[in-house]
Amino acid sequence: MAEPRLIPLTEVPELIFHLTGSIKPKIGTIRTWCSRGYFRSRKIGGTVMVETDSVHDHILGKEEEAE
């Protein structure tokens, strides 16, 4: 199954742990990173949703685009 494009902010620490295998930041840290612009996020119906692509880009680094 494909990974959803937007996930609730509360699920981001688990995604980061899955990507790194060792780091699992607290929710407050994720909120700070969103407010600083490290992760793209938006509030939908009272829930802060985070774009999974921005988490991948910030944690693993952006992949080079093929020319």
Side-chain angles (χ1 to χ4, degrees):
M1 187 170 134
E3 185 176 355
R5 182 171 158 77
L6 291 172
I7 59 172
L9 181 124
T10 56
E11 294 179 15
V12 174
E14 192 62 41
L15 173 60
I16 292 173
F17 182 76
H18 175 72
L19 293 173
T20 64
S22 60
I23 300 169
K24 193 169 185 182
K26 298 195 180 293
I27 298 296
T29 303
I30 302 300
R31 287 186 190 281
T32 301
W33 289 349
C34 287
S35 68
R36 291 184 181 173
Y38 299 149
F39 300 151
R40 291 183 302 274
S41 62
R42 61 190 58 103
K43 197 168 194 178
I44 301 174
T47 302
V48 176
M49 303 295 284
V50 179
E51 290 185 19
T52 55
D53 290 343
S54 67
V55 176
H56 286 270
D57 292 347
H58 183 69
I59 299 299
L60 302 177
K62 256 189 163 173
E63 292 184 15
E64 296 292 324
E65 293 184 21
E67 292 183 27

